[in-house]
Amino acid sequence: MLHKYCRLVVASTVLLILAGSFVTSTDSGLSVPDWPTTYGWNMFTFPPSKMVGGIFYEHGHRLIASTVGLMTIVLAAWLWMTDSRRWLKWFGVAALGAIVAQGLLGGLTVLFLLPPAVSTAHAALAEIFFCMTVAIALFMSPGWIDGYTAVGADDVRLRQLTTATTVVLYTQMLIGATMRHVGAGLAIPDFPWMFGHVVPDHWSPAIAIHFAHRLGALIATLSILATSIYIWMRHADRPELARPATLIIFLVGAQLMLGAITVLSRRDIWINSFHVVCGALVLTTALVIALRSWRVKFANAASVVGIAA
Amino acid sequence: MRLRNAWVGWTAAAALAASVVACGGGSKDTSAEPGGAASGGEKVDTATAGEVKGSVAVDGTVPKNDAIKMNADPVCVRENTTPQFQETYEVGSDGKALANVFVYVKDGLGNYSYDAPTDKPTIDQKNCRYHPHVFGMRVGQPLEIVNSDPTLHNIHAMPKANQEFNNGQPIQGMKMTHTFTAKEIMVPFKCDVHSWMNAYVGVLDHPYFAVSDKDGKFDIKTLPPGAYTIEAWHEKLGTATQQVTIGPKETKEITFTFKAPAGPTPTN
């Protein structure tokens, strides 16, 4: 039951990230000038009939965020009361702390008129919180608790590779978030060329950030390919690794296409927003692979109370 | 600028967190400091003052103004029964006269002092548009911001030399004032609720400015004799300058002609 609830929290967080990306894509971040109130109303009593224009995106994002926050309180309490793993209890509390901090960052960025540093931090913490919910769901899964089938087969190189890939993807997300919040999404307006060249023939800070995100996409893709190929070659018999290794190839392919179309469509709202969400899915899939590669290092969880229910 | 801010530091987020508790955050209406009059200079002698007037034209065919879809807010749809377009290029019936051009004395004024302005410039959010679209005012002069619409607006000013602000006006008839403290050409306004709404104000430390009307005409009066740089600003076509010298009681006529950008579609 708790595992199912964890998956519900993960799904809700995906929806929250989508809502947040719509706020940025539609440039609606300041359509509600006050926080935590909404045009002076208590957030939860703001009339739905007044959710017009940019308010629909910004206030909708706040409502979804509040719901996810409440769900995280329940999650943390549930873990605390029912799970025997002490570290996981505190991990649930940490997730709650992350969503609270995330809400504060969201409020601050509105009150201070979207400073790029705060908005980027808001995006960065969103991904961390999403990773935490995915990790909790994984830790609660029957497969994790059973230790998977080949738990005894530790592979140091696999752990290094999957960890490095996850770090690369998070770094790439940070660059993307920075690019998004400094308004550099179209600093290089063509694709696949850059001002008609392989490398831009002129530079500015915005062009450099945009270029770094494209270069990061290349490095991230190569990292993912290396990880997936390694798993297919060395651990094809471990479905807990082989399946996400295949999934992430499709996800990164979709992500590259969404990124390209974002530029070519001049930042179409839907494409741009799905690019953010797909990026989060790529990151968390890599995280799942990495955590599963590290499973052997975790204590045997078979004796955990009531989690497989 | 925004880019540089991005690197100012992640630590800034923590500092902001502390400061918001202390300050409450957000921009506030600045109290209106009376006047806008420069101190210490000589008064303009209206008996010898001259005038610069003229017209603004566009050479060529300007692009068609973007159509506005207001269906994001049913109130805006209801308030506008005719098709709405952006006011980017307001061209007269002759196909040349260009309205909404801000014309002002950029340089050449000596050390004059000016009477405090008695009028109160107003920007009105009516029918989900800003009225006026382009206007001028003085440093230190209170700007009245009105919401005449039965829907919510936020007014978001994005200056570079002045303080940025973003205030909500959720109720019809709400008013607020804001005072700009530094001269700036131009301060853009936008409504983040209704993305099509935009306006521009020129903030000056002297009274010598005008906005071209639908016939492209402008008139800058009571200008003391002297040699001046006059600049014309348009939101898309940029700026143009002219040198003009006026003697006592002299009226000079000048014409600004902007080159239309490339584009095959005719204006509305």
Side-chain angles (χ1 to χ4, degrees):
Chain A
M1 185 67 180
L2 178 52
H3 181 223
K4 284 181 182 170
Y5 182 74
C6 290
R7 291 198 290 191
L8 179 64
V9 174
V10 168
S12 303
T13 307
V14 173
L15 183 65
L16 175 58
I17 290 174
L18 179 64
S21 59
F22 269 120
V23 170
T24 315
S25 300
T26 58
D27 201 16
S28 302
L30 293 176
S31 60
V32 181
D34 49 339
W35 181 90
T37 50
T38 298
Y39 285 93
W41 272 274
N42 178 296
M43 185 198 301
F44 302 105
T45 60
F46 184 73
S49 63
K50 293 187 180 297
M51 285 178 65
V52 295
I55 301 172
F56 174 80
Y57 298 106
E58 172 61 20
H59 186 65
H61 179 50
R62 294 185 189 188
L63 290 178
I64 295 169
S66 301
T67 306
V68 172
L70 289 171
M71 292 174 76
T72 309
I73 292 173
V74 173
L75 175 65
W78 201 337
L79 279 173
W80 193 271
M81 290 187 294
T82 63
D83 201 280
S84 62
R85 290 167 289 185
R86 194 159 179 267
W87 60 269
L88 188 54
K89 290 174 189 281
W90 284 106
F91 196 66
V93 173
L96 178 57
I99 192 78
V100 170
Q102 179 68 347
L104 289 173
L105 277 176
L108 285 173
T109 203
V110 166
L111 295 178
F112 286 94
L113 306 173
L114 308 183
V118 183
S119 295
T120 306
H122 185 59
L125 187 54
E127 302 285 340
I128 287 176
F129 174 74
F130 183 41
C131 285
M132 293 176 91
T133 62
V134 168
I136 291 171
L138 179 68
F139 298 147
M140 297 305 301
S141 65
W144 177 275
I145 292 163
D146 293 343
Y148 303 112
T149 52
V151 70
D154 187 21
D155 184 337
V156 177
R157 187 168 294 172
L158 175 68
R159 283 194 276 118
Q160 291 171 339
L161 191 56
T162 56
T163 305
T165 297
T166 308
V167 171
V168 164
L169 288 171
Y170 187 76
T171 306
Q172 166 68 349
M173 183 284 303
L174 276 182
I175 298 169
T178 305
M179 182 182 81
R180 189 171 172 81
H181 291 289
V182 300
L186 292 176
I188 299 175
D190 50 345
F191 184 90
W193 305 114
M194 293 181 253
F195 300 105
H197 300 82
V198 177
V199 173
D201 57 351
H202 61 282
W203 294 90
S204 69
I207 291 170
I209 285 199
H210 190 115
F211 177 75
H213 191 55
R214 291 198 189 188
L215 187 63
L218 181 64
I219 295 169
T221 304
L222 292 175
S223 301
I224 289 169
L225 278 174
T227 303
S228 293
I229 289 169
Y230 186 87
I231 289 171
W232 291 332
M233 292 181 68
R234 301 286 182 90
H235 299 282
D237 58 335
R238 296 177 62 182
E240 80 275 12
L241 295 175
R243 279 191 305 218
T246 303
L247 173 65
I248 200 170
I249 293 295
F250 285 104
L251 284 174
V252 80
Q255 179 68 348
L256 290 172
M257 276 199 293
L258 287 168
I261 300 171
T262 296
V263 172
L264 295 174
S265 67
R266 322 307 295 166
R267 294 177 67 236
D268 174 86
I269 290 168
W270 284 88
I271 299 293
N272 198 359
S273 301
F274 279 114
H275 183 58
V276 173
V277 173
C278 192
L281 295 177
V282 173
L283 172 65
T284 46
T285 305
L287 177 72
V288 166
I289 297 171
L291 287 172
R292 285 176 173 171
S293 74
W294 281 88
R295 173 64 184 90
V296 69
K297 292 293 182 186
F298 282 75
N300 188 351
S303 60
V304 173
V305 179
I307 30 190
Chain B
M1 183 66 181
R2 296 181 69 208
L3 196 53
R4 197 175 354 152
N5 286 344
W7 301 108
V8 162
W10 295 83
T11 51
L16 288 173
S19 63
V20 75
V21 173
C23 305
S27 63
K28 303 288 181 200
D29 296 358
T30 45
S31 60
E33 302 230 349
S39 59
E42 62 175 303
K43 284 274 200 181
V44 174
D45 180 5
T46 53
T48 61
E51 189 175 350
V52 173
K53 63 182 185 179
S55 60
V56 184
V58 62
D59 178 19
T61 305
V62 296
K64 188 175 181 177
N65 286 326
D66 291 338
I68 297 172
K69 290 180 184 172
M70 295 189 173
N71 49 6
D73 188 340
V75 173
C76 300
V77 173
R78 197 178 62 219
E79 299 289 314
N80 293 280
T81 53
T82 57
Q84 295 293 304
F85 296 89
Q86 287 290 0
E87 297 163 89
T88 312
Y89 301 104
E90 291 292 294
V91 180
S93 54
D94 63 352
K96 293 183 182 303
L98 188 61
N100 282 340
V101 176
F102 186 73
V103 185
Y104 70 104
V105 175
K106 183 178 185 181
D107 196 18
L109 287 165
N111 184 26
Y112 288 101
S113 67
Y114 310 107
D115 292 335
T118 53
D119 60 327
K120 186 182 254 187
T122 300
I123 183 166
D124 191 5
Q125 297 149 107
K126 187 173 173 58
N127 297 338
C128 298
R129 307 294 293 265
Y130 285 122
H131 304 276
H133 179 63
V134 176
F135 63 106
M137 59 182 289
R138 302 263 293 276
V139 172
Q141 187 179 17
L143 169 66
E144 186 165 79
I145 301 166
V146 182
N147 180 10
S148 296
D149 278 332
T151 190
L152 310 87
H153 289 292
N154 74 301
I155 182 142
H156 181 190
M158 298 164 292
K160 289 187 168 64
N162 287 280
Q163 180 78 38
E164 185 177 358
F165 70 88
N166 180 33
N167 290 90
Q169 292 192 313
I171 298 167
Q172 187 174 23
M174 281 185 86
K175 292 181 181 178
M176 59 171 277
T177 57
H178 183 85
T179 306
F180 291 103
T181 55
K183 62 180 180 179
E184 186 165 353
I185 304 294
M186 303 284 287
V187 177
F189 290 102
K190 68 183 274 198
C191 175
D192 299 278
V193 180
H194 309 100
S195 57
W196 61 84
M197 288 175 65
N198 57 77
Y200 303 88
V201 60
V203 184
L204 289 167
D205 55 2
H206 62 72
Y208 302 113
F209 55 83
V211 177
S212 63
D213 62 17
K214 61 183 174 53
D215 298 318
K217 303 288 187 191
F218 66 88
D219 194 350
I220 299 173
K221 293 179 176 173
T222 61
L223 194 57
Y228 300 104
T229 302
I230 311 290
E231 182 166 90
W233 172 96
H234 183 267
E235 63 185 272
K236 279 287 181 198
L237 301 176
T239 57
T241 57
Q242 288 196 35
Q243 307 297 321
V244 61
T245 301
I246 61 168
K249 292 188 171 183
E250 187 180 12
T251 297
K252 278 279 174 69
E253 291 215 22
I254 57 175
T255 300
F256 287 99
T257 304
F258 285 95
K259 187 85 177 161
T265 49
T267 186
N268 293 300

